[in-house]
Amino acid sequence: MHRLLLLRHAKSSWDDPALADRDRPLAPRGNRAAERMADHLRSDGPHPDLVLCSPALRTRETLERMSSAFGDAEVVVDDELYGAGGDELLERLRALDDRFETVAVIGHNPGIHDLAIALAGSGAERGRMETKFPTGALAVLALDGPWRDVSPGGGRLEAFVTPRDLG
């Protein structure tokens, strides 16, 4: 069994409209939310072996705030994750080495949301997750079989946590 953590970047700042989308930093609210999510993951796990992160500034800053929860996980900043849709993210997962038992992906909507919905065949929080996948939210999915066989409906949503849930 594998575990997948799908994390949408925390709230970004729109203070400088001249910035390119890739260059938008986290807002103060986003920094606080990412730190709360890191505290949650440190205490409640699971802890990834590999973290895949979009190269956008807001995802990399989310990664920095989460680093204490990711411990000594291998980190890959992957250009193909920026703007990737659910199908592209699924293909990226299928290419993973099975030595990675738990993988975190830090990315963007709609791709992260679409992938979470596609994979979550079951789970008590599925309806809430389908409705909205806000910034800073985390979906934890259990997946049976090797990464190459990951398919729509093949996962179980173990947890869906938003920054608001954490106070």
Side-chain angles (χ1 to χ4, degrees), residues 14-154:
W14 291 87
D15 288 349
D16 184 352
L19 283 178
D21 181 70
R22 270 181 103 111
D23 298 328
R24 285 190 295 114
L26 290 181
R29 184 175 113 198
N31 283 309
R32 291 188 302 271
E35 290 166 4
R36 281 195 312 272
M37 192 61 71
D39 290 343
H40 169 73
L41 272 179
R42 264 195 317 277
S43 63
D44 292 332
H47 304 284
D49 308 307
L50 173 67
V51 179
L52 301 174
C53 183
S54 160
L57 180 58
R58 61 192 177 275
T59 52
R60 289 182 290 119
E61 287 183 345
T62 299
L63 171 64
E64 288 172 20
R65 303 306 177 279
M66 300 288 300
S67 63
S68 64
F70 293 152
D72 60 355
E74 183 177 330
V75 175
V76 176
V77 176
D78 187 339
D79 283 338
E80 293 183 18
L81 297 181
Y82 180 76
D87 291 340
E88 290 101 346
L89 293 171
L90 180 58
E91 287 307 311
R92 180 64 176 96
L93 293 177
R94 287 177 176 156
L96 291 173
D97 188 309
D98 283 322
R99 70 184 165 96
F100 298 113
E101 291 181 19
T102 302
V103 174
V105 179
I106 304 173
H108 311 270
N109 269 3
I112 289 288
H113 191 195
D114 291 345
L115 180 62
I117 290 169
L119 293 178
S122 63
E125 295 278 352
R126 191 176 194 286
R128 185 168 76 106
M129 182 186 70
E130 273 185 13
T131 302
K132 186 174 183 185
F133 203 111
T135 54
L138 171 72
V140 180
L141 298 119
L143 307 163
D144 293 322
W147 286 112
R148 71 178 172 276
D149 292 341
V150 171
S151 62

